[in-house]
Amino acid sequence: MEDRTGVIRLGRDGAAPDCDAPLPEQNGHVYFEDAAIGMKVGTWSSTGIRQTFQAYPHDAFMHVLDGCVSMLDGDGNATPVEKGQSFCLPRSIPVRWEQQGLLHTFFVTLSPPGVADSQDVSQRGSAIVLDADALEPGLVAEQNAFGGGKQRDSLVFTNRTGNMTVGMWETSAFESAMQPFSIHEVAQIISGEITILEEDGTAHVFGPGDVAFVPKGTVCSWRSKGTARKFYAIVDPKVTPHTDLQ
């Protein structure tokens, strides 16, 4: 799975599960892995879970396909995440994951090698649920507009190691140049339609609710015929993580 390029449509059913564990029953499939930076992209499902209170082991972005989950922080406050919502979790924050019944998600997780987890359970933090309406007032015009369009961005989260960002992005009609993609990106389309054209002529059309993953190095062009919005989780392999994060 490493060094793979090409647009990947994250599907509800995915490929055959390649991992499972009893009590609770869990199934998953990893679409892509970049071991050099500790990144995985895939789909995961599980029956009910009530975890112990612990430091979360990854920086994570997830989209809930089915079910719901609550994240309890160090003060006992619950952040619920429902079907159809996306959220991110900072690495090392103390949290307890609670769910009743089946949960099915898409995920991207990042655990850079050589960066130690903090074991300080007195830290504060919680899950961040992405809400397009709440983020709209924070959209800021990008100075380097491209593809003949106008783009705006609302940054929600940057991880402590500086190589993962999560937010909402909006564009007017545009068409970017065909060139190698410089980052890893998971994109969940909120509104409008985006087409990603690959070097060999393959066109991938994504509409509301669709989730795409584009690995670094994929030669592609992005375009939209009108206004479109997406949630994104970007991992930049070029950024060297800080290691003194205890």
Side-chain angles (χ1 to χ4, degrees), residues 127-177:
I128 304 167
V129 180
L130 279 66
D131 182 325
D133 291 336
L135 292 173
E136 183 172 10
L139 285 167
V140 176
E142 294 186 341
Q143 293 184 351
N144 299 318
F146 62 93
K150 295 181 179 179
Q151 290 82 34
R152 298 193 297 165
D153 183 79
S154 181
L155 181 64
V156 175
F157 168 73
T158 301
N159 69 343
R160 294 189 305 152
T161 51
N163 59 344
M164 180 178 183
T165 55
V166 175
M168 184 173 79
W169 182 83
E170 178 190 83
T171 185
S172 62
F174 81 107
E175 183 170 357
S176 69

Coordinates of all heavy atoms in Angstrom, one line a residue, residues 127-177:
A127 N -13.0 16.1 21.3 CA -13.2 15.9 19.9 C -13.8 17.2 19.3 O -14.5 17.9 20.0 CB -14.2 14.7 19.7
I128 N -13.4 17.4 18.1 CA -13.9 18.6 17.4 C -14.8 18.1 16.2 O -14.4 17.5 15.3 CB -12.7 19.4 16.8 CG1 -11.7 19.8 17.9 CG2 -13.2 20.6 16.1 CD1 -10.4 20.3 17.4
V129 N -16.1 18.5 16.3 CA -17.1 18.1 15.3 C -17.2 19.2 14.3 O -17.3 20.4 14.6 CB -18.5 17.8 15.9 CG1 -19.5 17.4 14.9 CG2 -18.4 16.7 17.0
L130 N -17.1 18.8 13.0 CA -17.1 19.8 11.9 C -18.5 20.2 11.6 O -19.3 19.3 11.3 CB -16.3 19.3 10.7 CG -14.8 19.5 10.7 CD1 -14.2 18.6 11.8 CD2 -14.2 19.1 9.4
D131 N -18.8 21.4 11.6 CA -20.2 21.9 11.3 C -20.1 23.0 10.2 O -19.5 24.1 10.5 CB -20.8 22.5 12.5 CG -22.2 23.0 12.4 OD1 -22.5 23.6 11.3 OD2 -23.0 22.9 13.3
A132 N -20.6 22.7 9.0 CA -20.4 23.7 7.9 C -21.0 25.0 8.2 O -20.4 26.1 7.8 CB -21.0 23.1 6.6
D133 N -22.2 25.1 8.8 CA -22.8 26.3 9.1 C -22.0 27.2 10.1 O -21.9 28.4 9.9 CB -24.3 26.1 9.6 CG -25.2 25.5 8.6 OD1 -24.9 25.8 7.3 OD2 -26.2 24.9 8.9
A134 N -21.5 26.5 11.1 CA -20.7 27.2 12.1 C -19.4 27.7 11.5 O -18.9 28.7 12.0 CB -20.5 26.3 13.3
L135 N -18.8 27.0 10.6 CA -17.5 27.3 10.0 C -17.6 28.4 8.9 O -16.7 29.1 8.6 CB -16.9 26.1 9.4 CG -16.4 25.0 10.4 CD1 -15.9 23.8 9.7 CD2 -15.3 25.6 11.3
E136 N -18.8 28.6 8.3 CA -19.0 29.5 7.2 C -18.5 30.9 7.5 O -17.8 31.5 6.7 CB -20.4 29.5 6.7 CG -20.6 30.4 5.5 CD -22.0 30.3 4.9 OE1 -22.9 29.7 5.6 OE2 -22.2 30.9 3.8
P137 N -18.9 31.5 8.7 CA -18.4 32.9 9.0 C -16.9 33.0 9.1 O -16.3 34.1 8.9 CB -19.0 33.2 10.4 CG -20.2 32.3 10.5 CD -19.8 31.0 9.8
G138 N -16.2 31.9 9.3 CA -14.7 31.9 9.4 C -14.0 31.7 8.1 O -12.8 31.6 8.1
L139 N -14.7 31.5 7.0 CA -14.1 31.3 5.7 C -13.3 32.6 5.3 O -13.8 33.7 5.3 CB -15.1 31.0 4.6 CG -15.7 29.6 4.7 CD1 -16.9 29.5 3.8 CD2 -14.6 28.5 4.3
V140 N -12.0 32.4 5.0 CA -11.1 33.5 4.6 C -10.6 33.3 3.2 O -10.2 32.2 2.8 CB -9.9 33.5 5.6 CG1 -9.0 34.6 5.2 CG2 -10.4 33.8 7.0
A141 N -10.7 34.3 2.4 CA -10.2 34.2 1.0 C -8.7 33.8 1.0 O -7.9 34.4 1.7 CB -10.5 35.5 0.3
E142 N -8.4 32.9 0.1 CA -7.0 32.5 -0.1 C -6.3 33.5 -1.0 O -6.9 33.9 -2.0 CB -6.9 31.1 -0.7 CG -7.5 30.0 0.3 CD -7.2 28.6 -0.3 OE1 -7.0 28.4 -1.5 OE2 -7.3 27.6 0.5
Q143 N -5.1 33.9 -0.6 CA -4.4 34.9 -1.4 C -4.0 34.3 -2.7 O -3.9 35.0 -3.7 CB -3.2 35.4 -0.6 CG -3.6 36.2 0.6 CD -2.4 36.7 1.3 OE1 -1.2 36.4 1.0 NE2 -2.6 37.6 2.3
N144 N -3.6 33.0 -2.7 CA -3.2 32.4 -4.0 C -4.3 31.6 -4.6 O -4.2 30.4 -4.7 CB -1.9 31.5 -3.7 CG -0.8 32.3 -3.1 OD1 -0.5 33.4 -3.6 ND2 -0.1 31.7 -2.1
A145 N -5.3 32.3 -5.1 CA -6.4 31.6 -5.9 C -5.8 31.0 -7.1 O -4.8 31.4 -7.7 CB -7.4 32.6 -6.2
F146 N -6.4 29.9 -7.5 CA -5.9 29.2 -8.7 C -7.0 28.6 -9.6 O -8.2 28.6 -9.2 CB -5.0 28.0 -8.2 CG -5.7 27.0 -7.4 CD1 -6.2 25.9 -8.0 CD2 -5.8 27.1 -6.0 CE1 -6.9 24.9 -7.2 CE2 -6.5 26.2 -5.2 CZ -7.0 25.1 -5.9
G147 N -6.6 28.2 -10.8 CA -7.6 27.5 -11.6 C -8.7 28.4 -12.2 O -9.7 27.9 -12.7
G148 N -8.5 29.7 -12.1 CA -9.5 30.7 -12.6 C -10.7 30.8 -11.6 O -11.7 31.5 -12.0
G149 N -10.6 30.3 -10.4 CA -11.7 30.4 -9.5 C -11.2 31.3 -8.2 O -10.1 31.8 -8.2
K150 N -12.1 31.3 -7.3 CA -11.9 32.0 -6.0 C -12.1 31.0 -4.9 O -13.1 30.3 -4.9 CB -12.8 33.2 -5.8 CG -12.5 34.3 -6.8 CD -13.4 35.5 -6.6 CE -13.2 36.6 -7.6 NZ -14.1 37.8 -7.3
Q151 N -11.1 30.9 -4.0 CA -11.2 29.9 -2.9 C -11.2 30.5 -1.6 O -10.5 31.6 -1.4 CB -10.0 28.9 -3.0 CG -10.0 27.9 -4.2 CD -9.5 28.5 -5.5 OE1 -8.6 29.3 -5.5 NE2 -10.1 28.2 -6.6
R152 N -11.9 29.9 -0.6 CA -11.9 30.3 0.8 C -11.7 29.1 1.7 O -12.0 28.0 1.3 CB -13.2 31.0 1.1 CG -13.5 32.3 0.3 CD -14.7 33.0 1.0 NE -15.9 32.3 1.0 CZ -17.0 32.6 1.7 NH1 -17.0 33.7 2.5 NH2 -18.1 31.9 1.6
D153 N -11.1 29.4 2.8 CA -10.7 28.3 3.7 C -11.0 28.7 5.2 O -10.9 29.8 5.6 CB -9.2 28.0 3.6 CG -8.8 26.8 4.4 OD1 -9.0 25.6 4.0 OD2 -8.2 27.0 5.5
S154 N -11.4 27.7 5.9 CA -11.6 27.8 7.4 C -10.9 26.7 8.1 O -11.3 25.6 8.0 CB -13.1 27.8 7.7 OG -13.3 28.0 9.1
L155 N -9.8 27.0 8.7 CA -9.0 26.0 9.4 C -9.5 25.7 10.7 O -9.8 26.6 11.5 CB -7.5 26.6 9.5 CG -6.5 25.6 10.2 CD1 -6.3 24.4 9.3 CD2 -5.2 26.3 10.4
V156 N -9.7 24.4 11.0 CA -10.3 23.9 12.2 C -9.3 23.4 13.2 O -9.3 23.7 14.4 CB -11.4 22.8 12.0 CG1 -11.9 22.3 13.3 CG2 -12.5 23.4 11.1
F157 N -8.3 22.7 12.7 CA -7.3 22.0 13.5 C -6.0 21.8 12.9 O -5.9 21.5 11.7 CB -7.9 20.6 13.8 CG -6.9 19.6 14.5 CD1 -6.6 19.8 15.8 CD2 -6.4 18.6 13.8 CE1 -5.7 18.9 16.4 CE2 -5.5 17.7 14.3 CZ -5.1 17.9 15.7
T158 N -4.9 22.1 13.6 CA -3.6 21.8 13.2 C -3.0 20.9 14.4 O -3.0 21.3 15.5 CB -2.7 23.0 13.0 OG1 -3.3 23.8 12.0 CG2 -1.3 22.7 12.6
N159 N -2.4 19.8 14.0 CA -1.9 18.9 15.1 C -0.6 19.5 15.7 O 0.0 20.4 15.2 CB -1.7 17.5 14.6 CG -0.6 17.4 13.6 OD1 -0.1 18.3 13.0 ND2 -0.1 16.1 13.4
R160 N -0.2 18.9 16.8 CA 1.0 19.4 17.6 C 2.3 19.2 16.8 O 3.2 20.0 17.0 CB 1.1 18.8 18.9 CG -0.1 19.1 19.9 CD 0.2 18.6 21.3 NE 0.5 17.2 21.3 CZ 1.3 16.6 22.2 NH1 1.9 17.3 23.1 NH2 1.5 15.3 22.1
T161 N 2.3 18.2 15.9 CA 3.5 18.0 15.2 C 3.6 18.8 13.9 O 4.6 18.8 13.2 CB 3.7 16.5 14.8 OG1 2.4 16.0 14.2 CG2 3.9 15.6 16.1
G162 N 2.5 19.5 13.6 CA 2.6 20.5 12.5 C 2.4 19.9 11.1 O 2.6 20.7 10.1
N163 N 2.1 18.6 11.0 CA 2.0 18.1 9.6 C 0.6 17.6 9.3 O 0.4 16.9 8.3 CB 3.0 17.0 9.5 CG 2.8 15.8 10.5 OD1 2.2 16.0 11.5 ND2 3.5 14.7 10.2
M164 N -0.4 17.9 10.1 CA -1.8 17.5 9.7 C -2.7 18.7 10.0 O -2.7 19.3 11.1 CB -2.3 16.3 10.6 CG -3.7 15.9 10.3 SD -4.1 14.4 11.3 CE -5.8 14.1 10.6
T165 N -3.6 19.0 9.0 CA -4.6 20.1 9.2 C -5.9 19.6 8.8 O -6.1 18.7 7.9 CB -4.2 21.3 8.3 OG1 -4.0 21.0 7.0 CG2 -2.9 22.0 8.8
V166 N -7.0 20.1 9.4 CA -8.3 19.8 9.1 C -9.1 21.1 9.0 O -8.9 22.0 9.8 CB -8.9 18.9 10.2 CG1 -10.4 18.6 10.0 CG2 -8.2 17.6 10.3
G167 N -10.1 21.1 8.0 CA -10.8 22.3 7.9 C -11.9 22.2 6.8 O -12.2 21.1 6.4
M168 N -12.5 23.4 6.4 CA -13.5 23.4 5.4 C -13.0 24.4 4.3 O -12.4 25.4 4.6 CB -14.8 23.9 5.9 CG -15.9 23.9 4.9 SD -17.6 24.3 5.6 CE -17.5 26.1 5.7
W169 N -13.2 24.0 3.1 CA -12.7 24.7 1.9 C -13.8 24.9 0.9 O -14.6 24.0 0.7 CB -11.5 23.9 1.3 CG -10.8 24.5 0.1 CD1 -9.8 25.4 0.1 CD2 -11.1 24.2 -1.3 NE1 -9.4 25.7 -1.2 CE2 -10.1 24.9 -2.1 CE3 -11.9 23.3 -2.0 CZ2 -10.1 24.8 -3.4 CZ3 -11.9 23.2 -3.4 CH2 -11.0 24.0 -4.1
E170 N -13.8 26.1 0.3 CA -14.9 26.4 -0.7 C -14.2 27.0 -1.9 O -13.2 27.7 -1.9 CB -15.8 27.5 -0.1 CG -16.9 27.9 -1.0 CD -17.7 29.1 -0.4 OE1 -17.2 30.3 -0.6 OE2 -18.8 28.9 0.2
T171 N -14.8 26.7 -3.1 CA -14.3 27.2 -4.3 C -15.5 27.6 -5.2 O -16.5 27.0 -5.2 CB -13.4 26.2 -5.0 OG1 -12.8 26.8 -6.2 CG2 -14.2 25.0 -5.4
S172 N -15.2 28.6 -6.1 CA -16.1 28.9 -7.2 C -15.7 27.9 -8.4 O -14.8 27.1 -8.2 CB -16.0 30.3 -7.6 OG -14.7 30.7 -8.0
A173 N -16.3 28.1 -9.5 CA -15.9 27.3 -10.7 C -14.4 27.4 -10.9 O -13.9 28.6 -10.9 CB -16.7 27.7 -11.9
F174 N -13.7 26.3 -11.2 CA -12.3 26.4 -11.4 C -11.8 25.1 -12.1 O -12.5 24.1 -12.2 CB -11.5 26.5 -10.1 CG -11.3 25.2 -9.3 CD1 -10.1 24.6 -9.2 CD2 -12.4 24.6 -8.7 CE1 -9.9 23.4 -8.6 CE2 -12.3 23.4 -8.0 CZ -11.0 22.8 -7.9
E175 N -10.6 25.2 -12.6 CA -9.9 24.0 -13.1 C -8.4 24.1 -12.9 O -7.8 25.0 -13.4 CB -10.2 23.7 -14.6 CG -9.6 22.5 -15.1 CD -10.1 22.1 -16.5 OE1 -10.9 22.8 -17.1 OE2 -9.5 21.1 -17.1
S176 N -7.8 23.2 -12.1 CA -6.4 23.3 -11.8 C -5.6 22.7 -12.8 O -6.1 21.9 -13.7 CB -6.1 22.7 -10.4 OG -6.3 21.3 -10.5
A177 N -4.3 22.9 -12.8 CA -3.4 22.3 -13.8 C -3.2 20.9 -13.5 O -3.3 20.4 -12.3 CB -2.0 23.1 -13.8

